[in-house]
Amino acid sequence: MDVNKSQKLKQLAQTLQREYGIHGFRLGTQLNPKLEIIPTGVSGLDNALEIGGIPCGHLTEIWSKPTGGCSTLTLSLIAQAQAFNHHTVFIDIQDTFDPEVAHQHGIDLNALVLVFPQSINQALDITYELIVGGQVGLIILGFGLLEAHFSKPNLFQRLNLAISRSSCAVICHALSFEHENVNSLSDATALRLLCEHTQWRGRHGDVTGYISTVRITKNKFGRQNQTVQIKITLEHGVS
Amino acid sequence: MIACISIPYFAAQVARLHTSTLPRPLVLITYKNDLGVVYGADEHATQARVLPGMSLNKVHAVCPDAHIVPANPHQDQETLNEIIQRLTYFARRIEVNKRSNGQNAYIYLDLGKLRPSEAIRIGKHILNNLVSKVSVCANLGLAKDKFTGSLASIYAEPGQVNLIRLREEQNFLASKPVNLLPLTKDMRRKLPLLGIRTIGQFASLPRSAVFTQFGRSGRFAHKLAYGEDTRRVALYKPEAMETATQHFEGAINNRMVLETILCQIADELSQRLRNQQQTTQGIELTLQLENQSQITSTRILGNPIHSPRRLSMVLYRLLSECEISVGVERVEVRLKQLQALIPRQLDLFGHTTKSADIEDIVVNLIRRHGECFFTASLSEKDDANAEHRFHLNVIGGIA
C-alpha cells in the first residue's frame, strides 16, 4: 500500500475512533491476534478444538442429556481455569451445583464464587456486570434442564458485545432431553459442544464411570462436526 | 587422578557370594525371546571361550561341563549399589561405565589431585575395602583420564593397582589392541583391512583423515587413542526409592490373602510418599517362592501416582502377571522414579496474577442484587445427608 494511503487510513481511523469509541472502528492491525484459551483438561478434546481449549472473549455452549458428561466437563474447565490463576464464577440458575463433586474434581471451593440468581434475567445481568468488571476469567452459566427449543437471542444481545471486548470465557451449560435439535442460545456462540452418554464402565459389577461422546457442532476456530470420546470416572473426573 | 575399578566376572562373583557351593565352570544365563543367552561367566568358562550373548547351544559346544544357572540381574544391581555406597567414602564423583554388564563391571572415581604414591596407597585401600566388606575381587587402574584408567584396570594384576604416570599414557596405550577403543561397526570392519591393529597405529593417523573417513565417532576414538580424554566423572546421585517387605512364617497359597497384604503395603508406602510429598512412576513387585526362586514384575507408569488405591490396583495387576505355582514366602514392593508430588510449572505464558480478591469482584454486585453470592466449604463430618456435607458462606454478608 502507498505510504500516503496508509497514513490517510490511520487518520480516518483516529477520527472515527474519537467519534464512536475505540471499539467502534479498528484497523486489522489493532486487533489482538493472540487468542487466550482455557484447556478443557481432556487432551483429545483440546486437540479436536484446534486451539487447545475454550476461547477467552467468546461464548461457548455445552449441551447434553442428563448423565451426558456436560457437568463433569464444566467442572474440569473450572479446575483448569483455577490452575491458570483465573477467577471463576459459577452462576447456578437451577441449583444443580454440588460442592462435594466439585471438590473431587480438583476445584478450590474457596476460590470459586457461587451465584444463585432468582431468574435468568438476573443471571444474565450479573454475568454482564462481571464481564464488564474485567476481573473474572471464567463464568459458567448453569441453566440446568432446558427445552430444546429454548432460544432467546435478545437476552444475549447485550452480553455478546461485552464478551467480545473482554478476556473472559463464558460457558453456557445446559441439559436437554431432545439432543438432536437443540437451538443455539445465541448467534454469537463461538463453540458449541454436544455431550452424549455412550456406555457405562465398570469393574467387578460396580459402575466406575462412563464414556461420553463430545460432538463439536460449531467451531469458529477449527473444523466442525468432529467427535471425541472422553472417559469419565465417577471419582476422578474426565480423562 | 581418575581411578577405574574393574570387577571381572562380576555376575559370577555375585552368584558365588550368595551360593558359595556353585561348581566351576559357571555360566549364568538370561532369557531373550524365550531363548537362553549367556549373561555372565566365571574365569574357567571364559577361558573356554564362553562369551556374553552366546546362545546355550554354543555354550554346550565350547564348554560341555559348564554348570548353567539362571542369572539374577536384580541381585547384581544391589551388589553394585552397595559397592558404590562404599566408594562414596573415597570420592563424590562416581560413575558406572555404560559398558558394564554381567561379565565385567567398571566404576570410575575422581580422586582429585594426588601424588602418585598417595594415589597408589588410596587405590590399595579401596581394593582391600572391597575385598573385606563386599567380598568382591577387583582390579584398579589409575590415570589422568577415564579411558586410560579403564585400560590400566583391565591390564592390572588381579587385586593390584596399576598406575599410569603423567605423560606416559601414549606409551601405555600404543601396544594395546585397537578393539579396546569405542569403535563403530564400520570402524571395526575397516581398521583391520587397513592394517591397523593397535591403538598406537591408530593414533599415528592424521586426525583430519580419520574425521574424513569415520566422522565424529572416529575423531573421538582418535582423541582417546592420543590420551586426550576430557570426559569428567559424573557426580554420584543415589536413586531414591521406597521399599516395603513382608516375610511370612508359613508360605501363603491363598491369592486373597496376598491381595490383602499388597493392599496393606500400598497403604504403608502411600503414607510414606505423602509424608515426603512425593509420587512414584516405577513399581516393582518381587515374590520369593517356597522353592527359593524369585518372580519379579515391574511396571513403569505413564503418570506418577501416590494414592493407596492406585498403588494397590497396580500391585494387583503385577500380581496377576506373576505365574505362581507354589507358596509365597516373602513379598517385596519397591517404588522407583520418585518425583515431587506437585510439579511446579514456571510461568511460561506470561500470565499476570490478578490481584483483586473475590470479595472485591462482587462487592458492587451484592449492593445491587442482594445476597446471592456464596462460596462453598466442605463439612468435616461425613454426614449421610448430602446437603449437610457442605456449607454455603455468603460473601460480604452474615455467614
Side-chain angles (χ1 to χ4, degrees):
Chain A
M1 190 187 280
D2 205 1
V3 181
N4 287 335
K5 278 187 180 175
S6 65
Q7 279 178 352
K8 277 180 187 173
L9 191 63
K10 274 183 190 171
Q11 282 173 1
L12 179 67
Q14 281 169 3
T15 318
L16 288 168
Q17 277 174 356
R18 271 199 295 275
E19 197 166 335
Y20 298 106
I22 195 156
H23 294 290
F25 189 93
R26 275 184 291 182
L27 292 173
T29 51
Q30 288 174 333
L31 290 170
N32 184 9
K34 193 180 168 187
L35 183 70
E36 271 194 59
I37 52 109
I38 297 171
T40 58
V42 186
S43 55
L45 184 56
D46 286 345
N47 291 339
L49 291 172
E50 296 188 15
I51 49 168
I54 299 291
C56 294
H58 293 274
L59 185 69
T60 302
E61 289 176 29
I62 306 179
W63 285 82
S64 84
K65 284 182 187 176
T67 68
C70 163
S71 306
T72 314
L73 190 60
T74 314
L75 293 176
S76 169
L77 266 163
I78 298 174
Q80 292 291 325
Q82 287 185 342
F84 277 78
N85 223 358
H86 289 295
H87 284 303
T88 47
V89 178
F90 194 107
I91 299 173
D92 195 3
I93 296 166
Q94 288 196 355
D95 199 3
T96 54
F97 184 79
D98 186 343
E100 205 180 354
V101 177
H103 179 68
Q104 280 175 5
H105 285 72
I107 292 173
D108 179 7
L109 290 173
N110 294 322
L112 175 71
V113 180
L114 290 172
V115 185
F116 297 105
Q118 288 159 1
S119 63
I120 290 181
N121 283 337
Q122 191 187 14
L124 293 175
D125 281 347
I126 292 170
T127 310
Y128 176 79
E129 287 170 34
L130 285 169
I131 294 166
V132 173
Q135 289 166 334
V136 182
L138 176 70
I139 299 173
I140 310 284
L141 267 165
F143 281 101
L145 205 57
L146 282 184
E147 287 174 18
H149 301 294
F150 172 91
S151 177
K152 291 187 176 171
N154 54 332
L155 282 179
F156 284 88
Q157 216 166 20
R158 192 169 59 136
L159 214 55
N160 292 333
L161 197 63
I163 293 169
S164 66
R165 290 174 184 181
S166 74
S167 60
C168 174
V170 180
I171 293 169
C172 295
H173 141 240
L175 302 172
S176 171
F177 282 109
E178 295 167 58
H179 203 161
E180 281 73 28
N181 305 314
V182 288
N183 272 1
S184 178
L185 291 170
S186 165
D187 296 335
T189 302
L191 204 64
R192 194 183 309 121
L193 309 176
L194 293 184
C195 305
E196 197 169 7
H197 177 280
T198 310
Q199 71 175 82
W200 291 103
R201 296 172 71 215
R203 190 170 182 271
H204 302 313
D206 288 338
V207 174
T208 56
Y210 54 94
I211 294 174
S212 181
T213 307
V214 181
R215 200 163 78 236
I216 304 164
T217 54
K218 184 176 181 183
N219 188 357
K220 278 188 179 176
F221 309 98
R223 285 173 293 165
Q224 297 181 8
N225 290 325
Q226 291 196 81
T227 54
V228 180
Q229 285 209 328
I230 58 173
K231 283 180 193 171
I232 294 170
T233 316
L234 296 180
E235 286 181 19
H236 299 289
V238 289
S239 60
Chain B
M1 186 70 74
I2 288 171
C4 178
I5 301 169
S6 76
I7 309 171
Y9 322 114
F10 179 62
Q13 281 201 55
V14 174
R16 286 230 168 79
L17 279 180
H18 291 85
T19 320
S20 55
T21 54
L22 285 172
R24 293 161 207 272
L26 177 69
V27 176
L28 297 142
I29 57 153
T30 184
Y31 288 93
K32 274 184 186 171
N33 302 329
D34 294 337
L35 291 173
V37 289
V38 176
Y39 176 75
D42 69 353
E43 61 273 34
H44 294 88
T46 311
Q47 280 166 11
R49 294 187 175 276
V50 174
L51 299 170
M54 195 179 255
S55 70
L56 266 182
N57 291 342
K58 275 190 182 175
V59 172
H60 287 306
V62 297
C63 187
D65 52 346
H67 183 76
I68 296 168
V69 292
N72 190 345
H74 180 66
Q75 190 176 282
D76 296 346
Q77 189 59 44
E78 273 187 355
T79 311
L80 196 62
N81 288 343
E82 194 186 337
I83 291 170
I84 292 170
Q85 202 58 45
R86 298 221 167 264
L87 293 175
T88 50
Y89 178 72
F90 300 97
R92 280 177 64 228
R93 291 187 171 271
I94 303 170
E95 184 184 342
V96 178
N97 191 334
K98 286 173 190 166
R99 286 195 303 161
S100 298
N101 52 26
Q103 188 67 5
N104 296 307
Y106 300 97
I107 304 165
Y108 295 116
L109 280 94
D110 192 345
L111 298 175
K113 286 181 182 173
L114 288 174
R115 286 179 190 159
S117 57
E118 287 172 344
I120 290 173
R121 208 177 63 237
I122 290 178
K124 281 181 180 170
H125 190 50
I126 290 170
L127 290 182
N128 291 338
N129 203 321
L130 289 183
V131 171
S132 61
K133 305 282 183 191
V134 199
S135 307
V136 167
C137 187
N139 313 331
L140 195 138
L142 288 164
K144 80 164 173 60
D145 62 70
K146 283 166 81 173
F147 178 67
T148 317
S150 68
L151 288 204
S153 71
I154 291 169
Y155 284 93
E157 293 292 317
Q160 294 296 317
V161 177
N162 187 8
L163 172 72
I164 310 299
R165 289 176 188 275
L166 207 64
R167 288 184 287 278
E168 284 181 8
E169 294 89 7
Q170 283 193 42
N171 291 340
F172 168 72
L173 294 173
S175 58
K176 305 293 176 282
V178 76
N179 283 342
L180 292 172
L181 286 166
L183 303 177
T184 58
K185 212 172 180 181
D186 183 42
M187 287 167 77
R188 272 183 205 286
R189 188 179 65 81
K190 282 183 181 170
L191 287 177
L193 294 174
L194 295 167
I196 294 163
R197 298 186 191 283
T198 63
I199 292 178
Q201 287 173 339
F202 184 65
S204 64
L205 297 173
R207 191 166 294 172
S208 56
V210 173
F211 181 62
T212 315
Q213 187 69 27
F214 301 114
R216 287 174 68 184
S217 51
R219 186 171 60 183
F220 174 65
H222 193 266
K223 276 187 177 177
L224 296 185
Y226 223 77
E228 290 177 5
D229 187 2
T230 52
R231 293 173 299 168
R232 292 183 72 188
V233 179
L235 203 64
Y236 171 63
K237 281 183 189 166
E239 193 196 354
M241 59 170 76
E242 282 291 334
T243 311
T245 314
Q246 198 105 13
H247 293 268
F248 314 117
E249 286 180 3
I252 291 178
N253 295 307
N254 191 336
R255 189 178 190 85
M256 294 286 282
V257 176
L258 269 180
E259 284 191 351
T260 313
I261 289 160
L262 286 179
C263 189
Q264 286 170 0
I265 290 175
D267 282 347
E268 185 195 330
L269 287 171
S270 169
Q271 190 59 43
R272 276 196 238 166
L273 289 179
R274 203 164 287 171
N275 292 343
Q276 297 167 16
Q277 296 278 308
Q278 282 186 318
T279 55
T280 180
Q281 210 167 355
I283 298 169
E284 186 182 276
L285 173 69
T286 308
L287 303 174
Q288 187 167 348
L289 305 180
E290 228 172 349
N291 57 6
Q292 297 306 312
S293 64
Q294 276 194 351
I295 303 176
T296 304
S297 185
T298 312
R299 181 156 295 195
I300 305 295
L301 305 168
N303 294 313
I305 58 168
H306 73 286
S307 71
R309 192 174 149 272
R310 298 286 303 278
L311 271 175
S312 51
M313 276 176 74
V314 175
L315 288 174
Y316 291 163
R317 277 184 207 152
L318 289 175
L319 182 67
S320 62
E321 284 170 11
C322 297
E323 289 178 7
I324 307 165
S325 50
V326 287
V328 178
E329 283 190 336
R330 186 172 67 97
V331 176
E332 185 179 286
V333 178
R334 187 168 292 192
L335 305 182
K336 297 173 179 176
Q337 297 186 21
L338 302 185
Q339 299 170 14
L341 179 62
I342 307 157
R344 293 178 192 282
Q345 189 176 6
L346 298 172
D347 192 5
L348 298 174
F349 310 105
H351 186 85
T352 52
T353 311
K354 291 171 183 173
S355 57
D357 288 323
I358 290 168
E359 286 197 18
D360 292 345
I361 298 169
V362 293
V363 70
N364 293 327
L365 297 173
I366 291 167
R367 283 186 207 128
R368 200 168 304 132
H369 297 284
E371 291 180 348
C372 59
F373 298 89
F374 301 85
T375 56
S377 59
L378 291 179
S379 160
E380 287 181 4
K381 278 191 280 181
D382 195 13
D383 203 301
N385 190 343
E387 289 178 358
H388 292 168
R389 288 188 211 144
F390 61 87
H391 302 290
L392 290 175
N393 312 312
V394 183
I395 300 173
I398 303 157

